[in-house]
């Protein structure tokens, strides 16, 4: 399981460093190029909840194995892609496979370990994911420079074969009830989520009031509303909505959402800025991105020990983590053309520490709220929240940059936002405008994270004050156990 949580985050963060090279080789820019990253997250987040629920029904090991093979196929298709359209499609396929691996892996860990062992397992998962995130940009940068972006996709894809082979050493687990597939729930959830996210990605291009945005957004919201109706009526729903009545469960989901929103846009877009504006190589940009990701190597273990020893309450720790992420984003107003790694160290390390304090702790706290038969559902929902937020953050961050730039550089905003700057004196002006746009968007992200931190504090506080809070399964909540 840990190998999967190492390689997939590594490939995820590493892909962002290769985007400018891919754009130059395939003659692509703007939204089509952004979909190399956005398409992966869109597919992964749309299918994560479905994958987790299907794993509960048909076997979590089986779901994990299928996901690994699909991830392998998508990665090799991306490596051989002759055009940006084919590459984007291959990345969507890779995201579907990643959903099976991530949702299945979390459920397998949750049903294999209990109590303190589960906390340690999820702390190890958070640390391993941090290693993947940290090593991704640097590793991908070196691979792209030494080999090629196609070979980079292929090498990451071979991990799918290793993951699939490893499943034969695992025991199968599933819910005890007879399998039934919530087909209506699956269709309405995936359809609604895809349409809403597609609408958001089109906002900067077509205008937020255009039919290309409004029509899919309205249709998507309608399908999601239908999903809620379906889940209330079916005997075996893909998502038991009673879960969300548990304030503590909802609070931890909000924490996962806010953490992801706080760093997703930065990790995906800052390497492009460093290469386009500062002239950094792919490898140099990858090294700079170690600043926010290296703290994730150690902080999950630190947070697990602090909570286990009673030094700090989980509620306090996760709120502090969110405030650190907000502070780091606000600090990014120091960004300017020519800034070096030393100038970026303060804000990037601050964001990284906040990122590292939260992941393993959030997973363990979420899983403590559900019975084992719902482990896949809970893992799928948690990863859906993260994946959806990541995809939306990428889309909104890019759209916000373009929207801010458009008021200053007009029709060149799309190219400038993705690092396609002109030459000569005009290049300096465009670089300055891009820096200014970054300041505006970073402050906006900081504000969103602060609001999320307040919401998490309130939700977890209400749950803590309830002396005998009970979750949807009728069990005493983990926060109230001695």
């Amino acid at each position: 399981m840990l190998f999967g949580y190492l390689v997939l985050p590594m490939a995820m963060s590493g892909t962002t460093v290769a985007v400018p090279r891919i754009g130059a080789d395939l003659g692509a820019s703007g939204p089509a190029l952004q979909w190399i990253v956005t398409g992966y997250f869109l597919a992964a987040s749309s299918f994560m909840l479905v994958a987790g629920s299907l794993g509960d029904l048909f076997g979590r090991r089986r779901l994990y194995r299928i996901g690994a093979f699909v991830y392998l196929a998508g990665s090799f298709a991306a490596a051989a892609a002759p055009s940006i359209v084919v590459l984007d499609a291959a990345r969507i396929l890779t995201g579907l496979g990643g959903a099976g691996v991530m949702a299945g892996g979390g459920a397998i860990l949750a049903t294999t370990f209990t109590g303190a062992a589960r906390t340690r397992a999820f702390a190890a998962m958070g640390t391993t994911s941090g290693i993947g995130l940290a090593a991704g940009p640097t590793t991908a940068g070196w691979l792209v420079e030494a080999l090629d972006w196609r070979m980079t996709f292929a090498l990451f894809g071979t991990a799918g074969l290793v993951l699939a082979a490893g499943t034969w050493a695992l025991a199968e687990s599933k819910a005890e009830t007879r399998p039934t597939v919530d087909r209506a729930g699956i269709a309405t959830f995936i359809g609604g989520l895809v349409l809403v996210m597609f609408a958001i990605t089109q906002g900067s291009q077509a205008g937020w009031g255009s039919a290309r945005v409004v029509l899919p957004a309205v249709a998507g919201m309608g399908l999601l509303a239908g999903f809620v109706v379906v889940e209330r009526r079916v005997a075996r729903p893909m998502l038991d909505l009673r879960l969300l009545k548990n304030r503590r469960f909802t609070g931890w989901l909000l924490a996962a959402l806010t953490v992801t929103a706080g760093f997703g846009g930065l990790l995906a877009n800052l390497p492009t800025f460093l290469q386009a504006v500062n002239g950094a190589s792919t490898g140099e940009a990858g090294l700079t991105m170690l600043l926010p990701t290296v703290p994730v190597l150690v902080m999950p273990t630190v947070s697990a020990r602090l909570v286990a020893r009673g030094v700090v309450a989980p509620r306090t720790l996760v709120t502090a983590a969110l405030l650190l992420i907000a502070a780091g984003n606000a600090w990014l107003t120091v960004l300017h053309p020519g800034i070096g790694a030393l100038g970026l160290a303060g804000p990037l390390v601050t964001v990284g520490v906040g990122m590292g304090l939260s992941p393993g702790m959030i997973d363990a706290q979420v899983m403590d709220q559900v019975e084992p038969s719902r482990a896949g559902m809970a893992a799928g929902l948690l990863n859906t929240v993260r994946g959806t937020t990541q995809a939306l953050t990428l889309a909104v961050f890019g759209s916000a940059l373009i929207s801010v730039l458009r008021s200053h550089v007009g029709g060149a905003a799309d190219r400038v936002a993705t690092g396609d700057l002109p030459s000569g004196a005009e290049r300096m002006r465009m670089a300055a405008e891009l820096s200014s746009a970054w300041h505006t968007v970073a402050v906006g992200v900081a504000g969103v994270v602060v609001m999320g931190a307040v919401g998490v504090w309130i939700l977890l506080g209400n749950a803590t004050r309830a002396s005998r809070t009970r979750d949807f399964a009728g069990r005493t909540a983990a926060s109230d156990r001695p």
Side-chain angles (χ1 to χ4, degrees):
M1 294 304 100
L2 291 182
F3 183 67
Y5 281 102
L6 171 71
V7 176
L8 267 66
M10 183 183 294
M12 178 194 73
S13 62
T15 300
T16 62
V17 179
V19 166
R21 182 73 65 86
I22 294 172
D25 288 350
L26 298 181
S29 63
L33 192 60
Q34 292 176 349
W35 269 81
I36 296 173
V37 178
T38 303
Y40 175 91
F41 284 107
L42 175 61
S45 57
S46 299
F47 195 68
M48 202 80 73
L49 177 58
V50 177
S53 295
L54 292 178
D56 285 340
L57 295 177
F58 299 109
R60 298 166 186 125
R61 181 185 68 172
R62 178 184 298 177
L63 187 280
Y64 187 95
R65 182 182 297 164
I66 292 172
F69 279 124
V70 173
Y71 181 86
L72 171 67
S75 297
F76 275 93
S83 66
I84 190 63
V85 174
V86 176
L87 178 57
D88 287 343
R91 291 292 294 164
I92 291 172
L93 181 63
T94 307
L96 293 176
V101 171
M102 300 300 283
I108 290 171
L109 287 180
T111 54
T112 301
F113 300 98
T114 59
R118 177 186 287 176
T119 300
R120 291 194 299 272
F122 279 108
M125 183 197 75
T127 300
T128 305
S129 297
I131 294 173
L133 282 171
T138 305
T139 303
W142 289 338
L143 289 173
V144 169
E145 288 190 348
L147 301 173
D148 183 57
W149 60 267
R150 296 183 184 276
M151 283 300 299
T152 302
F153 278 129
L155 286 174
F156 281 131
T158 55
L161 186 60
V162 178
L163 296 175
T167 60
W168 271 271
L170 300 175
E172 184 61 280
S173 66
K174 64 179 72 172
E176 296 180 357
T177 56
R178 182 180 179 181
T180 57
V181 179
D182 178 14
R183 293 182 177 85
I186 290 173
T188 52
F189 180 78
I190 292 179
L193 198 57
V194 168
L195 286 171
V196 168
M197 294 175 70
F198 175 79
I200 292 174
T201 62
Q202 299 300 303
S204 61
Q205 281 280 309
W208 294 102
S210 70
R212 266 171 60 188
V213 174
V214 174
L215 291 179
V218 171
M221 293 301 293
L223 285 174
L224 291 176
F227 169 74
V228 173
V229 174
V230 168
E231 299 307 276
R232 289 180 181 273
R233 295 181 177 179
V234 297
R236 178 76 186 186
M238 181 177 70
L239 172 62
D240 193 327
L241 297 176
R242 289 175 295 175
L243 268 174
L244 302 180
K245 293 181 179 180
N246 180 346
R247 282 179 173 267
R248 189 168 181 82
F249 183 86
T250 304
W252 287 111
L253 287 182
L254 178 60
L257 182 156
T258 309
V259 168
T260 305
F263 72 82
L266 184 154
L267 286 183
N269 291 278
L270 188 57
T272 299
F273 179 95
L274 296 174
Q275 293 175 76
V277 175
N278 290 356
S281 66
T282 307
E284 290 169 343
L287 285 173
T288 301
M289 295 310 296
L290 288 176
L291 291 170
T293 49
V294 161
V296 186
L297 302 179
V298 295
M299 298 314 295
T301 302
V302 172
S303 66
R305 289 179 178 175
L306 290 174
V307 171
R309 295 175 181 177
V311 177
V312 62
R315 175 199 186 199
T316 303
L317 190 59
V318 75
T319 304
L322 292 173
L323 293 177
L324 284 171
I325 294 173
N329 275 280
W331 198 351
L332 271 175
T333 50
V334 300
L335 190 67
H336 64 268
I339 190 171
L342 184 61
L344 289 170
L348 294 185
V349 171
T350 301
V351 171
V353 172
M355 289 165 53
L357 285 172
S358 56
M361 176 177 59
I362 290 175
D363 288 78
Q365 294 291 329
V366 166
M367 291 302 176
D368 274 345
Q369 308 303 311
V370 299
E371 58 188 358
S373 64
R374 299 287 203 242
M377 181 187 294
L381 180 58
L382 176 60
N383 284 293
T384 294
V385 168
R386 283 177 170 147
T388 302
T389 304
Q390 181 73 8
L392 291 176
T393 299
L394 291 173
V396 172
F397 197 100
S399 295
L401 279 179
I402 292 171
S403 297
V404 175
L405 283 167
R406 183 162 286 136
S407 62
H408 298 281
V409 303
D414 289 349
R415 298 195 307 275
V416 174
T418 54
D420 185 7
L421 303 183
S423 58
E426 188 68 6
R427 178 184 180 86
M428 297 299 297
R429 185 178 79 85
M430 294 296 184
E433 294 291 355
L434 181 57
S435 299
S436 178
W438 258 89
H439 298 169
T440 301
V441 175
V443 170
V445 171
V448 169
V449 175
V450 168
M451 289 189 291
V454 172
V456 169
W457 179 263
I458 292 172
L459 284 171
L460 297 184
N462 287 341
T464 301
R465 285 193 295 270
S467 61
R468 298 295 291 175
T469 302
R470 302 181 71 83
D471 65 13
F472 85 103
R475 300 182 300 111
T476 302
S479 59
D480 302 317
R481 296 177 189 142

